[in-house]
Amino acid sequence: MISNSDSQLVYSTDKGRIQAEPAAEVVPQGDGIVRIQMERKGRKGKGAMVITGLGLDSKALKALAGELKKKMGCGGAVKGFDIEIQGDNREAVKALLESRGYKVKLAGG
């Protein structure tokens, strides 16, 4: 056995491959205000609404994104802890989120 304190055990015959425990996902808590902003950078001029500050875990975020995409009739994705919805219909998204009890602000351009 290696006595170097910097080394880590990679494989052992009695336990097999040793994998590090995955770190628990930490949901970022905002200030209680959901922000909707338009982004066009990196999208070849086509805009997408980015919804931030929801404070939900990834499973609930995916469910909310699916519901928003169905109601808006457009595509989108969950990236990190943000929801991206294609197009520019911020007022409708704001109304949908306010009906679910969120405090919403339109941010950016």
Side-chain angles (χ1 to χ4, degrees):
M1 194 107 278
I2 299 173
S3 64
N4 187 357
S5 64
D6 293 331
S7 69
Q8 294 180 357
L9 183 64
V10 177
Y11 185 82
S12 174
T13 55
D14 40 308
K15 294 184 182 177
R17 266 193 206 279
I18 299 174
Q19 305 248 339
E21 292 291 320
E25 224 174 49
V26 178
V27 178
Q29 293 298 325
D31 55 357
I33 298 172
V34 176
R35 289 180 172 81
I36 304 171
Q37 64 183 5
M38 246 341 255
E39 272 190 11
R40 286 189 173 83
K41 282 192 174 183
R43 294 182 173 85
K44 299 182 182 177
K46 305 209 181 215
M49 296 172 284
V50 179
I51 304 167
T52 59
L54 289 165
L56 299 173
D57 62 339
S58 56
K59 189 174 183 180
L61 240 119
K62 287 179 184 178
L64 178 61
E67 181 183 334
L68 288 173
K69 290 189 302 185
K70 284 179 188 174
K71 298 246 178 166
M72 300 302 297
C74 60
V78 175
K79 293 192 178 175
F81 288 99
D82 300 335
I83 298 176
E84 294 182 0
I85 303 289
Q86 294 174 351
D88 184 9
N89 203 351
R90 289 178 279 181
E91 293 297 330
V93 172
K94 181 180 177 183
L96 286 171
L97 290 173
E98 284 176 342
S99 69
R100 297 193 91 201
Y102 291 104
K103 185 175 178 182
V104 182
K105 281 187 179 180
L106 298 179

